[in-house]
Amino acid sequence: MATSTTSKRAAGSSAPQSSNTKTVDPDGVHHEYEFGGPLGVTAMMTFFPALFYYLYVCLFFYDGKFATPQDVSTFSGPGGWVDFASTIVGLVREHAAPNKRAATLYLSLIALQLLLAFTAPGVVQQGLPVSRLGGKTLTYHCNAYSSLYMTIAIVGAAHFFGLFNLADIIDLYGPLLTIATISGFTLAAIVYVLGEKYRMSGNLIYDYFMGSSLNPRIGIVDIKMFAEIRISWILLFALSMGACAKQHQDYGYVSPNLALFSWGTGMYLNACAKAEQSIPQTWDMSYEKFGWLLSYWNLAGVPFSYAFSAIYMATHDPATYRYPTWVYFVLFPALTLAHCIFDLAMGQKSWFKAQQTGTYIKRNTFPQIPGTQMKNPKVIITETGSKLLVDGAWAVVRKPNYTADWCQAIIWGLSAGFGSAIPYWYPLFHLTMLLHRNARDDARCARKYKKSWIEYNKAVPYSFIPYVY
């Protein structure tokens, strides 16, 4: 992995230390296991890929219903659990085995995104000071917004002129899932081997899961940010567009249900791309390592499991999950409103952080939500001199972005109706993830800000819903 360009901050930079002084990196020491330690992460690396193959089989071969043994009371007898497992594995082997067509489609999209990451126009942003680099900052080339619309134009033209059919994405969902899974495991292994072995626990399995490298790069491209913005959400949107093409091919139209899901994923992808310059200022980029957790989920887990609603709708008659017309007049505005609140909260937070670090970049990307920039926002000044925002959406609850994000997830699930529970995987999983992340953030901030965090919790007492939680 190439080492990125780094720069010192003009404000607050320290005088050069003598060569005899050893700088202690407070973030470079492993303190405790997360996710249940080696046993827990082994279970996660086994369970989630297996679960997604099982749900794939349910969607394509069991009419979206949960598949079960014919006789749940027997383990090895006829129709029991062993026969059932053999059936599931057999269907995966027959229909989800990797093939040349799937590999070409998946890897071509990755290659296109990598090419655009190097060449597309954008802005240059500085990240937070990195302890591993002695307080230096990394340079990030943020061109996801232009890359997104160049990708849409290229893929759209390829579909229009018959170079490939977007509907093939749905027909090849199983093999694509396998290619993505292999890619996620492989990239994590490559980065682990070539990484700088930062903040290691000493346990091979756990360190592979969490990663060995903090800022892996290929030239100017940051792999963490590339995987999060250029791969996961673009793949999800591609699956959504593939579902639309498949439904139009089979039924002659795109249902309002699938249009609702596609509208949601499109807004979300656009929001991620237009605000890419804010991502280098996040804790994830300055502290979180790149291992299996980020590699697998961004390359396979997020796009292929969050798309379950689209897969269900593309493989079932739209008449079976259609709502009365008035429901769409509720769901479309509700989804748009939830997204705008999410975008506003994220925009206020990013603007506030950028003001503190002097890294604000004004961009004319669309849409610009009014109220993002606040004049003289209310803050709590902590014992360390940091400022905590208690204004705008962040005066209502401590995680307004999480609340709005989950509302979007619920509507994504509702888009597929009630014929299957599988489309509700995303809102259920997302809620679990948001609750875990909230608890993790709360514990970390309590350690960092001490009494000031107690004051902040009194000023903004609820995490997600006022007067509830």
Side-chain angles (χ1 to χ4, degrees), residues 145 220 227 301 310 349 396 456:
Y145 192 74
I220 65 172
K349 179 181 179 181
V396 181
Y456 172 72

Side-chain angles (χ1 to χ4, degrees), residues 87-111:
T87 299
I88 298 297
V89 170
L91 287 170
V92 170
R93 283 180 175 174
E94 181 179 356
H95 298 281
N99 58 47
K100 184 178 179 180
R101 179 65 170 160
T104 300
L105 285 176
Y106 184 88
L107 297 178
S108 293
L109 182 61
I110 302 296

